[in-house]
Amino acid sequence: MSEIRLFVSTTEAVAEAVLEALSSVFGEEDYAIATQEIDEARGIWEASIYGTADQEADIAERFKSLIRTDFPALVLERETLPDIDWIARSLEGLKPVRAGRFLVHGSHDRDKVRLSDIGILIDAGQAFGTGHHGTTAGCLNMLGDVLKARPVRNALDLGTGSGVLAIAAHLMARIPVLATDIDPVATRVARENARTNGIARGIAFATAPGFHHRIFRENGPFDLIIANILARPLMKLAPSLVRHLAADGTVILSGILAEQRWKVIAAYNSAGLKHRRTTWMNGWVTIELVR
Ligand code: SAH
């Protein structure tokens, strides 16, 4: 059955508001809802809901009535999504993702990298992190800001997945990075991705659950620790993470749903860190903390 997308085109703030409204109307059901930036220069965003062709009439009617009451200026648009194999699509069809100066792209989009970009080549595969998830994009944006704002001597990417964040940190700042993951497949994929991106030295890899490995002591303490995991493990890891942080270090956390953020911040406050800022993307937040 072919898939359809119903959407409105608007500003970022309105798209987020539409997303909220859509999730209260459709939240209990099994539809994918998303916001996405379409045109960075003009600040155009879309808020979308995805369904199958036989669900379209029902979704369209409810989406229209939501627009009529809450967003009368918006116009509902639709598109039929090409009927293709999702795995093949995830391997080849991914569009490049821009996050600050970083452009994460697959092999088929090498030519999209501009001179001023830091291109990161990641082909979708067995490990998480192609840049398409709001948490990865949120981390990349914040990473770019932090590396621009202050000198960072070394970094740790905990839960590296595809290695995307470690690669970004090394390419931008040319600093030594330690990249670890609980999953040996991720560690292997991340190492291959680093090589594909021309990094022969400069990133060390290890398979480890949390901080259970001597490599953290050998390479730490770290000026910058990035961990895009999930709220619950992040809260558990707070004391050991802070123990491996340099005296003036910065922490970037993601994998946290907006409504979970206060609990995570509280856990890191107790471990001695101060909240600096939070950014939002598609219902996920990225949090910056400092000593
Ligand atoms: N850093 C990448 C991947 C994030 S996905 C990105 O931002 O896109 C989260 C990764 O954390 C997964 O690869 C998962 O295997 C790993 N992970 C989960 N729990 C972990 C733990 N306790 N210690 C280390 N890695 C963990």
Side-chain angles (χ1 to χ4, degrees), residues 132-146:
H132 290 77
H133 197 259
T135 61
T136 311
C139 285
L140 285 170
N141 271 318
M142 204 173 267
L143 175 65
D145 290 350
V146 167

Side-chain angles (χ1 to χ4, degrees), residues 3 64 104 129 141 195 205 230 259 261 265 285:
E3 244 204 300
K64 271 190 210 143
V104 187
N141 271 318
R195 216 172 301 135
F205 298 90
L230 282 172
E259 60 268 26
R261 70 187 190 284
I265 291 172
V285 297

Side-chain angles (χ1 to χ4, degrees), residues 55-120:
Q55 296 166 329
E56 178 173 358
D58 175 50
I59 304 175
E61 188 185 327
R62 292 156 71 198
F63 200 161
K64 271 190 210 143
S65 97
L66 177 162
I67 292 175
R68 240 188 334 268
T69 48
D70 296 344
F71 307 93
L74 299 183
V75 180
L76 186 65
E77 298 176 68
R78 78 177 292 284
E79 73 169 339
T80 307
L81 298 174
D83 208 1
I84 45 172
D85 168 346
W86 281 97
I87 305 251
R89 176 174 174 144
S90 74
L91 290 173
E92 301 156 17
L94 290 178
K95 288 222 189 81
V97 178
R98 179 170 296 286
R101 276 187 68 196
F102 301 113
L103 188 78
V104 187
H105 63 91
S107 319
H108 53 287
D109 274 322
R110 285 173 209 266
D111 57 328
K112 304 268 163 51
V113 182
R114 297 188 301 229
L115 226 46
S116 55
D117 291 339
I118 300 175
I120 303 173

Side-chain angles (χ1 to χ4, degrees), residues 60 65 73 79 118 171 201-202 213 261 268 289:
S65 97
E79 73 169 339
I118 300 175
L171 289 181
R201 278 178 305 273
H213 199 293
R261 70 187 190 284
Y268 281 82
L289 299 131

